[in-house]
Amino acid sequence: MKKSLILLIISAFSSVCYADAADWTPLLESMKKGCSVDSEALPYGKSDIGRLPAKYRASVARSHSRQTASDGEVLTIELKNSVAFGQPLSALVIESNEGYGHVKMKFARNADMSKLIPLFTTPTDKRRGMLAAGRAQNFCVKGANGTLKQYQSSRHHWRTVSSDGPWQEFRYHPKEHALSCLSSDYYGDEVECTR
């Protein structure tokens, strides 16, 4: 009985703590479907943090940015008292370049990743439904206009590559306790379907 009461108190306390936390879910919600990154909602440079609503600015512990070899920028935002999709969020790493976006969400060690991973899916076709991380799949679909799309998934990732350009990837990084989404217009040449 005492054990149950203690667990109930800890659970209630955790819920209260999350209730006051800055919830980044609305800014990251678009990533759930096809790893679509909402470039209007997220800051892509250190100077963009200032235009975030006050509740998000208040949750930024510190930030830093660096240039990439291809003239892009990687912005790391370390967070305090923040959640996303109901789990404690500790940092965002946002990389941007022309036609390319990559967002990595780093979660606290106590986050339940098993609840997060199934949220990130992408539709395939009517026969196969949704592509999700967790099972091994590799198949191609040919569109009416000759476009080829390749779908791949494994235990920790799924990837969709189209011969007309768009490319999306979702990945779970167990060692970092992180989830990432990549979206690009330029990687269509990586389709390995037979033509």
Side-chain angles (χ1 to χ4, degrees):
M1 180 69 177
K2 268 187 176 179
K3 200 175 196 179
S4 297
L5 184 59
I6 290 169
L7 288 173
L8 182 64
I9 291 169
I10 289 170
S11 175
F13 180 71
S14 299
S15 298
V16 170
C17 289
Y18 287 161
D20 293 337
D23 187 358
W24 286 75
T25 305
L27 303 184
L28 302 166
E29 186 77 29
S30 65
M31 292 168 51
K32 283 174 38 180
K33 291 193 175 145
C35 268
S36 172
V37 177
D38 185 352
S39 59
E40 297 297 315
L42 294 173
Y44 277 85
K46 201 167 177 176
S47 61
D48 294 337
I49 293 173
R51 66 180 175 84
L52 286 170
K55 67 179 178 179
Y56 300 117
R57 286 194 316 267
S59 71
V60 175
R62 65 189 142 279
S63 65
H64 53 89
S65 63
R66 65 175 173 80
Q67 292 295 120
T68 64
S70 60
D71 288 331
E73 185 175 359
V74 178
L75 173 65
T76 301
I77 305 170
E78 294 176 35
L79 301 169
K80 59 185 180 189
N81 197 26
S82 297
V83 297
F85 308 106
Q87 299 297 320
L89 183 66
S90 60
L92 291 172
V93 179
I94 303 166
E95 183 176 348
S96 61
N97 208 336
E98 189 176 334
Y100 171 87
H102 179 248
V103 176
K104 182 182 280 187
M105 300 172 287
K106 292 186 176 184
F107 290 88
R109 289 286 165 203
N110 63 335
D112 187 349
M113 302 305 281
S114 66
K115 288 183 178 175
L116 291 168
I117 295 168
L119 299 177
F120 297 83
T121 60
T122 194
T124 60
D125 61 0
K126 288 179 182 175
R127 277 184 310 155
R128 294 184 180 93
M130 302 297 272
L131 187 70
R135 59 184 178 159
Q137 286 187 303
N138 187 356
F139 60 90
C140 292
V141 174
K142 188 170 188 174
N145 60 356
T147 301
L148 291 169
K149 267 197 172 174
Q150 183 174 20
Y151 297 93
Q152 300 171 330
S153 66
S154 71
R155 188 169 165 222
H156 292 135
H157 87 282
W158 62 254
R159 176 181 299 135
T160 305
V161 188
S162 175
S163 61
D164 67 354
W167 193 83
Q168 293 88 25
E169 180 179 276
F170 164 80
R171 188 165 294 276
Y172 167 45
H173 311 267
K175 289 181 181 172
E176 294 180 74
H177 226 57
L179 303 176
S180 65
C181 279
L182 179 146
S183 182
S184 177
D185 296 333
Y186 299 116
Y187 294 160
D189 58 348
E190 293 189 11
V191 174
E192 296 174 4
C193 302
T194 54
R195 297 184 186 271

mmCIF file of all heavy atoms in Angstrom, residues 13-62:
data_model
loop_
_atom_site.group_PDB
_atom_site.id
_atom_site.type_symbol
_atom_site.label_atom_id
_atom_site.label_comp_id
_atom_site.label_asym_id
_atom_site.label_seq_id
_atom_site.Cartn_x
_atom_site.Cartn_y
_atom_site.Cartn_z
ATOM 1 N N PHE A 13 3.365 14.425 -9.085
ATOM 2 C CA PHE A 13 4.380 15.471 -9.090
ATOM 3 C C PHE A 13 4.963 15.654 -10.489
ATOM 4 O O PHE A 13 5.148 16.767 -10.951
ATOM 5 C CB PHE A 13 5.492 15.152 -8.093
ATOM 6 C CG PHE A 13 6.565 16.201 -8.044
ATOM 7 C CD1 PHE A 13 6.318 17.441 -7.485
ATOM 8 C CD2 PHE A 13 7.815 15.947 -8.587
ATOM 9 C CE1 PHE A 13 7.301 18.419 -7.456
ATOM 10 C CE2 PHE A 13 8.806 16.914 -8.561
ATOM 11 C CZ PHE A 13 8.547 18.149 -7.991
ATOM 12 N N SER A 14 5.216 14.536 -11.187
ATOM 13 C CA SER A 14 5.748 14.603 -12.550
ATOM 14 C C SER A 14 4.773 15.317 -13.467
ATOM 15 O O SER A 14 5.163 16.139 -14.298
ATOM 16 C CB SER A 14 6.018 13.203 -13.098
ATOM 17 O OG SER A 14 6.958 12.541 -12.323
ATOM 18 N N SER A 15 3.482 15.017 -13.341
ATOM 19 C CA SER A 15 2.466 15.658 -14.179
ATOM 20 C C SER A 15 2.403 17.151 -13.916
ATOM 21 O O SER A 15 2.262 17.952 -14.837
ATOM 22 C CB SER A 15 1.092 15.040 -13.923
ATOM 23 O OG SER A 15 1.106 13.682 -14.253
ATOM 24 N N VAL A 16 2.521 17.553 -12.653
ATOM 25 C CA VAL A 16 2.507 18.974 -12.311
ATOM 26 C C VAL A 16 3.721 19.669 -12.913
ATOM 27 O O VAL A 16 3.623 20.753 -13.467
ATOM 28 C CB VAL A 16 2.458 19.172 -10.776
ATOM 29 C CG1 VAL A 16 2.692 20.614 -10.390
ATOM 30 C CG2 VAL A 16 1.127 18.690 -10.235
ATOM 31 N N CYS A 17 4.905 19.019 -12.832
ATOM 32 C CA CYS A 17 6.125 19.610 -13.400
ATOM 33 C C CYS A 17 5.980 19.814 -14.895
ATOM 34 O O CYS A 17 6.366 20.838 -15.433
ATOM 35 C CB CYS A 17 7.332 18.718 -13.118
ATOM 36 S SG CYS A 17 7.806 18.727 -11.380
ATOM 37 N N TYR A 18 5.432 18.814 -15.608
ATOM 38 C CA TYR A 18 5.263 18.929 -17.053
ATOM 39 C C TYR A 18 4.215 19.979 -17.409
ATOM 40 O O TYR A 18 4.282 20.591 -18.459
ATOM 41 C CB TYR A 18 4.881 17.586 -17.665
ATOM 42 C CG TYR A 18 6.013 16.586 -17.710
ATOM 43 C CD1 TYR A 18 5.753 15.234 -17.861
ATOM 44 C CD2 TYR A 18 7.337 16.971 -17.607
ATOM 45 C CE1 TYR A 18 6.783 14.300 -17.896
ATOM 46 C CE2 TYR A 18 8.365 16.051 -17.650
ATOM 47 C CZ TYR A 18 8.083 14.725 -17.795
ATOM 48 O OH TYR A 18 9.089 13.815 -17.845
ATOM 49 N N ALA A 19 3.229 20.190 -16.539
ATOM 50 C CA ALA A 19 2.180 21.164 -16.822
ATOM 51 C C ALA A 19 2.763 22.570 -16.932
ATOM 52 O O ALA A 19 2.289 23.380 -17.714
ATOM 53 C CB ALA A 19 1.110 21.116 -15.747
ATOM 54 N N ASP A 20 3.801 22.895 -16.147
ATOM 55 C CA ASP A 20 4.419 24.219 -16.200
ATOM 56 C C ASP A 20 5.517 24.323 -17.248
ATOM 57 O O ASP A 20 6.035 25.403 -17.497
ATOM 58 C CB ASP A 20 5.018 24.566 -14.825
ATOM 59 C CG ASP A 20 3.934 24.751 -13.769
ATOM 60 O OD1 ASP A 20 2.784 25.051 -14.149
ATOM 61 O OD2 ASP A 20 4.241 24.580 -12.573
ATOM 62 N N ALA A 21 5.884 23.210 -17.850
ATOM 63 C CA ALA A 21 6.971 23.192 -18.819
ATOM 64 C C ALA A 21 6.534 23.834 -20.138
ATOM 65 O O ALA A 21 5.355 23.829 -20.490
ATOM 66 C CB ALA A 21 7.414 21.758 -19.062
ATOM 67 N N ALA A 22 7.508 24.378 -20.857
ATOM 68 C CA ALA A 22 7.238 24.903 -22.199
ATOM 69 C C ALA A 22 7.021 23.709 -23.129
ATOM 70 O O ALA A 22 7.882 22.843 -23.248
ATOM 71 C CB ALA A 22 8.417 25.740 -22.673
ATOM 72 N N ASP A 23 5.865 23.652 -23.748
ATOM 73 C CA ASP A 23 5.535 22.529 -24.632
ATOM 74 C C ASP A 23 5.886 22.888 -26.077
ATOM 75 O O ASP A 23 5.193 23.680 -26.713
ATOM 76 C CB ASP A 23 4.060 22.173 -24.502
ATOM 77 C CG ASP A 23 3.701 20.914 -25.266
ATOM 78 O OD1 ASP A 23 4.587 20.327 -25.933
ATOM 79 O OD2 ASP A 23 2.536 20.503 -25.200
ATOM 80 N N TRP A 24 6.946 22.302 -26.595
ATOM 81 C CA TRP A 24 7.429 22.566 -27.947
ATOM 82 C C TRP A 24 6.677 21.771 -29.009
ATOM 83 O O TRP A 24 6.933 21.913 -30.205
ATOM 84 C CB TRP A 24 8.929 22.260 -28.023
ATOM 85 C CG TRP A 24 9.779 23.290 -27.354
ATOM 86 C CD1 TRP A 24 9.965 23.469 -26.009
ATOM 87 C CD2 TRP A 24 10.561 24.308 -27.982
ATOM 88 N NE1 TRP A 24 10.810 24.525 -25.768
ATOM 89 C CE2 TRP A 24 11.193 25.050 -26.963
ATOM 90 C CE3 TRP A 24 10.792 24.658 -29.309
ATOM 91 C CZ2 TRP A 24 12.035 26.126 -27.234
ATOM 92 C CZ3 TRP A 24 11.625 25.716 -29.587
ATOM 93 C CH2 TRP A 24 12.232 26.449 -28.553
ATOM 94 N N THR A 25 5.722 20.948 -28.607
ATOM 95 C CA THR A 25 4.988 20.102 -29.553
ATOM 96 C C THR A 25 4.388 20.887 -30.717
ATOM 97 O O THR A 25 4.536 20.469 -31.872
ATOM 98 C CB THR A 25 3.892 19.293 -28.826
ATOM 99 O OG1 THR A 25 4.492 18.555 -27.763
ATOM 100 C CG2 THR A 25 3.182 18.350 -29.775
ATOM 101 N N PRO A 26 3.709 22.026 -30.502
ATOM 102 C CA PRO A 26 3.130 22.726 -31.648
ATOM 103 C C PRO A 26 4.162 23.122 -32.719
ATOM 104 O O PRO A 26 3.838 23.144 -33.904
ATOM 105 C CB PRO A 26 2.492 23.983 -31.022
ATOM 106 C CG PRO A 26 2.221 23.592 -29.611
ATOM 107 C CD PRO A 26 3.349 22.663 -29.222
ATOM 108 N N LEU A 27 5.388 23.407 -32.310
ATOM 109 C CA LEU A 27 6.418 23.793 -33.277
ATOM 110 C C LEU A 27 7.024 22.590 -33.991
ATOM 111 O O LEU A 27 7.613 22.734 -35.056
ATOM 112 C CB LEU A 27 7.543 24.578 -32.583
ATOM 113 C CG LEU A 27 7.140 25.840 -31.836
ATOM 114 C CD1 LEU A 27 8.369 26.558 -31.287
ATOM 115 C CD2 LEU A 27 6.351 26.781 -32.719
ATOM 116 N N LEU A 28 6.873 21.408 -33.403
ATOM 117 C CA LEU A 28 7.481 20.193 -33.952
ATOM 118 C C LEU A 28 6.451 19.228 -34.542
ATOM 119 O O LEU A 28 6.809 18.222 -35.142
ATOM 120 C CB LEU A 28 8.278 19.484 -32.846
ATOM 121 C CG LEU A 28 9.391 20.317 -32.200
ATOM 122 C CD1 LEU A 28 9.881 19.657 -30.911
ATOM 123 C CD2 LEU A 28 10.529 20.526 -33.170
ATOM 124 N N GLU A 29 5.179 19.529 -34.381
ATOM 125 C CA GLU A 29 4.068 18.654 -34.784
ATOM 126 C C GLU A 29 4.154 18.200 -36.246
ATOM 127 O O GLU A 29 3.858 17.050 -36.564
ATOM 128 C CB GLU A 29 2.739 19.382 -34.544
ATOM 129 C CG GLU A 29 1.517 18.550 -34.776
ATOM 130 C CD GLU A 29 1.227 17.578 -33.644
ATOM 131 O OE1 GLU A 29 1.584 17.858 -32.499
ATOM 132 O OE2 GLU A 29 0.644 16.519 -33.925
ATOM 133 N N SER A 30 4.556 19.082 -37.146
ATOM 134 C CA SER A 30 4.580 18.740 -38.576
ATOM 135 C C SER A 30 5.531 17.583 -38.880
ATOM 136 O O SER A 30 5.374 16.895 -39.878
ATOM 137 C CB SER A 30 4.977 19.961 -39.411
ATOM 138 O OG SER A 30 6.312 20.350 -39.114
ATOM 139 N N MET A 31 6.505 17.343 -38.008
ATOM 140 C CA MET A 31 7.476 16.282 -38.232
ATOM 141 C C MET A 31 6.855 14.889 -38.107
ATOM 142 O O MET A 31 7.416 13.920 -38.616
ATOM 143 C CB MET A 31 8.641 16.423 -37.251
ATOM 144 C CG MET A 31 9.481 17.657 -37.512
ATOM 145 S SD MET A 31 10.645 18.071 -36.193
ATOM 146 C CE MET A 31 11.499 16.553 -35.924
ATOM 147 N N LYS A 32 5.705 14.777 -37.469
ATOM 148 C CA LYS A 32 5.077 13.475 -37.269
ATOM 149 C C LYS A 32 4.640 12.834 -38.579
ATOM 150 O O LYS A 32 4.591 11.628 -38.696
ATOM 151 C CB LYS A 32 3.861 13.599 -36.342
ATOM 152 C CG LYS A 32 4.252 13.733 -34.893
ATOM 153 C CD LYS A 32 3.103 14.005 -33.953
ATOM 154 C CE LYS A 32 1.825 13.323 -34.220
ATOM 155 N NZ LYS A 32 0.781 13.654 -33.239
ATOM 156 N N LYS A 33 4.320 13.635 -39.580
ATOM 157 C CA LYS A 33 3.849 13.086 -40.853
ATOM 158 C C LYS A 33 4.900 13.324 -41.922
ATOM 159 O O LYS A 33 5.096 14.441 -42.392
ATOM 160 C CB LYS A 33 2.526 13.722 -41.251
ATOM 161 C CG LYS A 33 1.419 13.296 -40.334
ATOM 162 C CD LYS A 33 0.067 13.634 -40.865
ATOM 163 C CE LYS A 33 -0.956 13.039 -39.909
ATOM 164 N NZ LYS A 33 -2.109 13.831 -39.764
ATOM 165 N N GLY A 34 5.601 12.280 -42.263
ATOM 166 C CA GLY A 34 6.574 12.357 -43.343
ATOM 167 C C GLY A 34 7.804 13.177 -43.009
ATOM 168 O O GLY A 34 8.497 13.637 -43.912
ATOM 169 N N CYS A 35 8.069 13.397 -41.736
ATOM 170 C CA CYS A 35 9.241 14.185 -41.314
ATOM 171 C C CYS A 35 9.279 15.544 -42.002
ATOM 172 O O CYS A 35 10.327 16.045 -42.404
ATOM 173 C CB CYS A 35 10.541 13.423 -41.567
ATOM 174 S SG CYS A 35 11.043 12.473 -40.123
ATOM 175 N N SER A 36 8.147 16.144 -42.135
ATOM 176 C CA SER A 36 8.052 17.475 -42.728
ATOM 177 C C SER A 36 8.473 18.507 -41.681
ATOM 178 O O SER A 36 7.890 18.567 -40.605
ATOM 179 C CB SER A 36 6.614 17.719 -43.167
ATOM 180 O OG SER A 36 6.443 19.045 -43.582
ATOM 181 N N VAL A 37 9.488 19.286 -41.980
ATOM 182 C CA VAL A 37 10.004 20.282 -41.036
ATOM 183 C C VAL A 37 9.360 21.628 -41.346
ATOM 184 O O VAL A 37 9.425 22.113 -42.473
ATOM 185 C CB VAL A 37 11.543 20.369 -41.133
ATOM 186 C CG1 VAL A 37 12.077 21.442 -40.211
ATOM 187 C CG2 VAL A 37 12.169 19.024 -40.808
ATOM 188 N N ASP A 38 8.699 22.239 -40.363
ATOM 189 C CA ASP A 38 8.051 23.543 -40.545
ATOM 190 C C ASP A 38 9.089 24.651 -40.355
ATOM 191 O O ASP A 38 9.406 25.047 -39.245
ATOM 192 C CB ASP A 38 6.911 23.705 -39.538
ATOM 193 C CG ASP A 38 6.111 24.973 -39.749
ATOM 194 O OD1 ASP A 38 6.513 25.817 -40.579
ATOM 195 O OD2 ASP A 38 5.080 25.134 -39.075
ATOM 196 N N SER A 39 9.615 25.133 -41.466
ATOM 197 C CA SER A 39 10.689 26.131 -41.403
ATOM 198 C C SER A 39 10.205 27.487 -40.880
ATOM 199 O O SER A 39 11.006 28.288 -40.419
ATOM 200 C CB SER A 39 11.340 26.306 -42.779
ATOM 201 O OG SER A 39 10.384 26.721 -43.729
ATOM 202 N N GLU A 40 8.925 27.732 -40.905
ATOM 203 C CA GLU A 40 8.393 28.995 -40.384
ATOM 204 C C GLU A 40 8.300 28.985 -38.858
ATOM 205 O O GLU A 40 8.412 30.022 -38.211
ATOM 206 C CB GLU A 40 7.000 29.276 -40.978
ATOM 207 C CG GLU A 40 6.990 29.455 -42.476
ATOM 208 C CD GLU A 40 7.806 30.657 -42.924
ATOM 209 O OE1 GLU A 40 7.688 31.735 -42.314
ATOM 210 O OE2 GLU A 40 8.573 30.498 -43.893
ATOM 211 N N ALA A 41 8.080 27.814 -38.277
ATOM 212 C CA ALA A 41 7.867 27.719 -36.828
ATOM 213 C C ALA A 41 9.169 27.675 -36.037
ATOM 214 O O ALA A 41 9.244 28.231 -34.948
ATOM 215 C CB ALA A 41 7.033 26.485 -36.513
ATOM 216 N N LEU A 42 10.178 27.019 -36.585
ATOM 217 C CA LEU A 42 11.417 26.814 -35.837
ATOM 218 C C LEU A 42 12.465 27.879 -36.140
ATOM 219 O O LEU A 42 12.543 28.371 -37.263
ATOM 220 C CB LEU A 42 12.008 25.436 -36.174
ATOM 221 C CG LEU A 42 11.182 24.244 -35.724
ATOM 222 C CD1 LEU A 42 11.781 22.958 -36.277
ATOM 223 C CD2 LEU A 42 11.106 24.178 -34.214
ATOM 224 N N PRO A 43 13.301 28.217 -35.178
ATOM 225 C CA PRO A 43 14.405 29.144 -35.446
ATOM 226 C C PRO A 43 15.514 28.416 -36.204
ATOM 227 O O PRO A 43 15.832 27.274 -35.892
ATOM 228 C CB PRO A 43 14.875 29.542 -34.040
ATOM 229 C CG PRO A 43 14.482 28.418 -33.162
ATOM 230 C CD PRO A 43 13.252 27.813 -33.771
ATOM 231 N N TYR A 44 16.061 29.039 -37.222
ATOM 232 C CA TYR A 44 17.130 28.414 -37.992
ATOM 233 C C TYR A 44 18.464 29.100 -37.785
ATOM 234 O O TYR A 44 19.474 28.668 -38.318
ATOM 235 C CB TYR A 44 16.770 28.345 -39.481
ATOM 236 C CG TYR A 44 15.908 27.146 -39.746
ATOM 237 C CD1 TYR A 44 14.533 27.194 -39.572
ATOM 238 C CD2 TYR A 44 16.481 25.939 -40.103
ATOM 239 C CE1 TYR A 44 13.752 26.079 -39.780
ATOM 240 C CE2 TYR A 44 15.703 24.813 -40.308
ATOM 241 C CZ TYR A 44 14.343 24.891 -40.153
ATOM 242 O OH TYR A 44 13.568 23.781 -40.344
ATOM 243 N N GLY A 45 18.481 30.170 -37.010
ATOM 244 C CA GLY A 45 19.708 30.861 -36.661
ATOM 245 C C GLY A 45 19.580 31.395 -35.251
ATOM 246 O O GLY A 45 18.467 31.532 -34.715
ATOM 247 N N LYS A 46 20.710 31.699 -34.653
ATOM 248 C CA LYS A 46 20.703 32.182 -33.271
ATOM 249 C C LYS A 46 19.860 33.452 -33.128
ATOM 250 O O LYS A 46 19.158 33.648 -32.145
ATOM 251 C CB LYS A 46 22.144 32.424 -32.827
ATOM 252 C CG LYS A 46 22.326 32.423 -31.356
ATOM 253 C CD LYS A 46 23.786 32.359 -30.970
ATOM 254 C CE LYS A 46 23.875 32.427 -29.462
ATOM 255 N NZ LYS A 46 25.207 32.285 -28.969
ATOM 256 N N SER A 47 19.887 34.296 -34.143
ATOM 257 C CA SER A 47 19.109 35.543 -34.090
ATOM 258 C C SER A 47 17.600 35.286 -34.157
ATOM 259 O O SER A 47 16.807 36.114 -33.718
ATOM 260 C CB SER A 47 19.532 36.485 -35.216
ATOM 261 O OG SER A 47 19.286 35.876 -36.473
ATOM 262 N N ASP A 48 17.192 34.122 -34.703
ATOM 263 C CA ASP A 48 15.765 33.787 -34.803
ATOM 264 C C ASP A 48 15.147 33.420 -33.457
ATOM 265 O O ASP A 48 13.926 33.440 -33.309
ATOM 266 C CB ASP A 48 15.554 32.602 -35.763
ATOM 267 C CG ASP A 48 15.903 32.948 -37.200
ATOM 268 O OD1 ASP A 48 15.890 34.145 -37.547
ATOM 269 O OD2 ASP A 48 16.183 32.010 -37.962
ATOM 270 N N ILE A 49 15.958 33.055 -32.478
ATOM 271 C CA ILE A 49 15.425 32.670 -31.161
ATOM 272 C C ILE A 49 14.652 33.829 -30.548
ATOM 273 O O ILE A 49 13.623 33.636 -29.903
ATOM 274 C CB ILE A 49 16.559 32.184 -30.231
ATOM 275 C CG1 ILE A 49 17.126 30.867 -30.774
ATOM 276 C CG2 ILE A 49 16.059 32.001 -28.802
ATOM 277 C CD1 ILE A 49 18.351 30.369 -30.049
ATOM 278 N N GLY A 50 15.100 35.056 -30.785
ATOM 279 C CA GLY A 50 14.437 36.242 -30.250
ATOM 280 C C GLY A 50 13.030 36.456 -30.757
ATOM 281 O O GLY A 50 12.231 37.145 -30.120
ATOM 282 N N ARG A 51 12.675 35.871 -31.903
ATOM 283 C CA ARG A 51 11.313 36.059 -32.421
ATOM 284 C C ARG A 51 10.349 34.947 -31.992
ATOM 285 O O ARG A 51 9.170 34.961 -32.343
ATOM 286 C CB ARG A 51 11.330 36.232 -33.937
ATOM 287 C CG ARG A 51 11.765 35.041 -34.714
ATOM 288 C CD ARG A 51 11.744 35.301 -36.222
ATOM 289 N NE ARG A 51 12.278 34.166 -36.927
ATOM 290 C CZ ARG A 51 11.584 33.091 -37.267
ATOM 291 N NH1 ARG A 51 10.308 33.012 -36.979
ATOM 292 N NH2 ARG A 51 12.161 32.103 -37.897
ATOM 293 N N LEU A 52 10.864 33.982 -31.210
ATOM 294 C CA LEU A 52 9.983 32.945 -30.654
ATOM 295 C C LEU A 52 9.057 33.568 -29.614
ATOM 296 O O LEU A 52 9.423 34.540 -28.955
ATOM 297 C CB LEU A 52 10.810 31.852 -29.976
ATOM 298 C CG LEU A 52 11.557 30.870 -30.860
ATOM 299 C CD1 LEU A 52 12.513 30.023 -30.014
ATOM 300 C CD2 LEU A 52 10.601 29.977 -31.621
ATOM 301 N N PRO A 53 7.865 33.003 -29.411
ATOM 302 C CA PRO A 53 7.000 33.469 -28.313
ATOM 303 C C PRO A 53 7.732 33.364 -26.966
ATOM 304 O O PRO A 53 8.614 32.520 -26.786
ATOM 305 C CB PRO A 53 5.806 32.519 -28.373
ATOM 306 C CG PRO A 53 5.762 32.072 -29.808
ATOM 307 C CD PRO A 53 7.204 31.983 -30.234
ATOM 308 N N ALA A 54 7.357 34.192 -26.018
ATOM 309 C CA ALA A 54 8.049 34.320 -24.725
ATOM 310 C C ALA A 54 8.201 32.990 -23.987
ATOM 311 O O ALA A 54 9.243 32.731 -23.387
ATOM 312 C CB ALA A 54 7.312 35.327 -23.848
ATOM 313 N N LYS A 55 7.179 32.119 -24.028
ATOM 314 C CA LYS A 55 7.269 30.857 -23.279
ATOM 315 C C LYS A 55 8.397 29.973 -23.804
ATOM 316 O O LYS A 55 9.025 29.242 -23.043
ATOM 317 C CB LYS A 55 5.944 30.109 -23.283
ATOM 318 C CG LYS A 55 5.505 29.586 -24.635
ATOM 319 C CD LYS A 55 4.181 28.850 -24.513
ATOM 320 C CE LYS A 55 3.705 28.373 -25.879
ATOM 321 N NZ LYS A 55 2.455 27.651 -25.784
ATOM 322 N N TYR A 56 8.678 30.042 -25.109
ATOM 323 C CA TYR A 56 9.773 29.253 -25.674
ATOM 324 C C TYR A 56 11.121 29.910 -25.381
ATOM 325 O O TYR A 56 12.082 29.222 -25.036
ATOM 326 C CB TYR A 56 9.594 29.056 -27.182
ATOM 327 C CG TYR A 56 8.319 28.331 -27.526
ATOM 328 C CD1 TYR A 56 7.328 28.940 -28.278
ATOM 329 C CD2 TYR A 56 8.090 27.022 -27.090
ATOM 330 C CE1 TYR A 56 6.155 28.273 -28.591
ATOM 331 C CE2 TYR A 56 6.917 26.351 -27.393
ATOM 332 C CZ TYR A 56 5.958 26.988 -28.150
ATOM 333 O OH TYR A 56 4.796 26.325 -28.449
ATOM 334 N N ARG A 57 11.180 31.221 -25.512
ATOM 335 C CA ARG A 57 12.437 31.937 -25.199
ATOM 336 C C ARG A 57 12.850 31.684 -23.759
ATOM 337 O O ARG A 57 14.031 31.504 -23.463
ATOM 338 C CB ARG A 57 12.282 33.441 -25.445
ATOM 339 C CG ARG A 57 12.272 33.836 -26.893
ATOM 340 C CD ARG A 57 12.468 35.334 -27.085
ATOM 341 N NE ARG A 57 11.702 36.170 -26.195
ATOM 342 C CZ ARG A 57 10.500 36.680 -26.446
ATOM 343 N NH1 ARG A 57 9.909 36.442 -27.592
ATOM 344 N NH2 ARG A 57 9.883 37.441 -25.555
ATOM 345 N N ALA A 58 11.871 31.649 -22.854
ATOM 346 C CA ALA A 58 12.167 31.436 -21.429
ATOM 347 C C ALA A 58 12.719 30.037 -21.154
ATOM 348 O O ALA A 58 13.406 29.825 -20.163
ATOM 349 C CB ALA A 58 10.910 31.668 -20.593
ATOM 350 N N SER A 59 12.445 29.086 -22.042
ATOM 351 C CA SER A 59 12.915 27.713 -21.831
ATOM 352 C C SER A 59 14.291 27.455 -22.447
ATOM 353 O O SER A 59 14.832 26.366 -22.299
ATOM 354 C CB SER A 59 11.902 26.714 -22.393
ATOM 355 O OG SER A 59 11.907 26.747 -23.809
ATOM 356 N N VAL A 60 14.867 28.444 -23.115
ATOM 357 C CA VAL A 60 16.198 28.290 -23.716
ATOM 358 C C VAL A 60 17.264 28.539 -22.648
ATOM 359 O O VAL A 60 17.377 29.638 -22.112
ATOM 360 C CB VAL A 60 16.391 29.254 -24.911
ATOM 361 C CG1 VAL A 60 17.818 29.173 -25.451
ATOM 362 C CG2 VAL A 60 15.374 28.942 -26.009
ATOM 363 N N ALA A 61 18.041 27.505 -22.331
ATOM 364 C CA ALA A 61 19.122 27.638 -21.359
ATOM 365 C C ALA A 61 20.322 28.326 -22.018
ATOM 366 O O ALA A 61 20.899 29.249 -21.458
ATOM 367 C CB ALA A 61 19.531 26.272 -20.816
ATOM 368 N N ARG A 62 20.680 27.875 -23.202
ATOM 369 C CA ARG A 62 21.745 28.512 -23.997
ATOM 370 C C ARG A 62 21.656 27.985 -25.421
ATOM 371 O O ARG A 62 21.030 26.949 -25.670
ATOM 372 C CB ARG A 62 23.113 28.311 -23.378
ATOM 373 C CG ARG A 62 23.669 26.949 -23.302
ATOM 374 C CD ARG A 62 24.956 26.901 -22.457
ATOM 375 N NE ARG A 62 25.026 25.699 -21.669
ATOM 376 C CZ ARG A 62 24.425 25.470 -20.519
ATOM 377 N NH1 ARG A 62 23.682 26.372 -19.984
ATOM 378 N NH2 ARG A 62 24.546 24.333 -19.887
#
